[in-house]
Amino acid sequence: MIAVLAAAGALAGCASTSETYPGRTATEQLLVARAADRAVEGLTLPIPAGSRVFVDAAYFQAENSAYAVSAIRSALSDAGYAMAPSKSEADAVFELRAGALSLEQMRRVFGLPEMRVPISESLNVVSLPELSIYSRRDRVGVAEFSGFLYEPRTGAPLGAVVPMTGEFRIRSHKFLMVAAWGQQTIDPGEREPGDSWRQF
């Protein structure tokens, strides 16, 4: 009997782990980052190639703004401009502003969507689960940037960059609330085809 009780006690043991919950999931962060990358594809400035540019992000206020600013700097380097460490050493200052750097979500349901139904006058509600034949979910990262250039010593305008817009979409489907497909996944170490580095 003692052996049975000891075995039962050992089997009844459990362990728990603690998880953190950031403001955005990894998928949401990737959606916004990919949208930022697409927005700056082919970025050029109305100044000669080889000019030294200082990227002023003081007014670039958005979540994930640091990644977006780095993507813009990378695009300018690809276009042949040199990054100046300060305004005083620059031929032009590129002042950035963000129109959008966020997510859009849309869900289409054939059936009954998830609902919250009031059950009393004191505003108590009960949640009813989704009962659908088919549903589709779109999650879209949206990025829009623009900016203008000026001469750092005189403040004279040199030109403007029209809004650059990029989107990245993940679409997933679900049939009978069980069978799901279409969700994009990114495995550790996966990258776009090609070399992992580029010589300038």
Side-chain angles (χ1 to χ4, degrees):
M1 181 61 110
I2 295 175
V4 172
L5 291 175
L11 292 173
C14 62
S16 62
T17 58
S18 177
E19 296 183 2
T20 59
Y21 297 94
R24 279 184 171 172
T25 66
T27 298
E28 291 172 337
Q29 292 173 354
L30 286 170
L31 283 166
V32 174
R34 296 296 175 268
D37 290 334
R38 290 189 172 183
V40 299
E41 288 178 356
L43 172 62
T44 59
L45 301 177
I47 55 176
S51 300
R52 294 172 60 83
V53 178
F54 177 76
V55 178
D56 185 356
Y59 302 102
F60 195 91
Q61 303 296 325
E63 195 171 354
N64 281 19
S65 60
Y67 182 93
V69 171
S70 180
I72 291 169
R73 291 170 57 88
S74 176
L76 292 175
S77 293
D78 288 344
Y81 303 103
M83 296 294 99
S86 66
K87 291 183 179 181
S88 61
E89 300 175 68
D91 300 316
V93 175
F94 184 26
E95 184 173 305
L96 301 175
R97 54 181 178 265
L101 190 60
S102 192
L103 294 165
E104 291 282 357
Q105 298 199 48
M106 181 179 295
R107 188 175 178 85
R108 290 181 172 87
V109 176
F110 292 91
L112 296 176
E114 181 181 354
M115 293 182 292
R116 293 171 62 84
V117 180
I119 58 174
S120 68
E121 294 181 358
S122 60
L123 300 180
N124 291 325
V125 297
V126 61
S127 296
L128 299 179
E130 178 184 313
L131 295 172
S132 64
I133 300 172
Y134 166 80
S135 63
R136 187 181 83 188
R137 183 185 183 191
D138 284 307
R139 286 176 288 176
V140 186
V142 181
E144 183 187 88
F145 319 132
S146 58
F148 68 97
L149 289 142
Y150 63 88
E151 209 282 332
R153 285 163 287 279
T154 65
L158 298 174
V161 174
V162 299
M164 306 166 283
T165 303
E167 289 187 358
F168 191 80
R169 179 186 307 266
I170 291 179
R171 172 173 291 176
S172 55
H173 311 265
K174 189 176 289 186
F175 181 67
L176 294 178
M177 301 177 295
V178 177
W181 69 96
Q183 173 70 51
Q184 176 168 320
T185 60
I186 295 182
D187 297 324
E190 183 178 340
R191 63 174 184 265
E192 295 295 326
D195 295 333
S196 60
W197 60 273
R198 180 184 305 170
Q199 185 174 3
F200 290 97

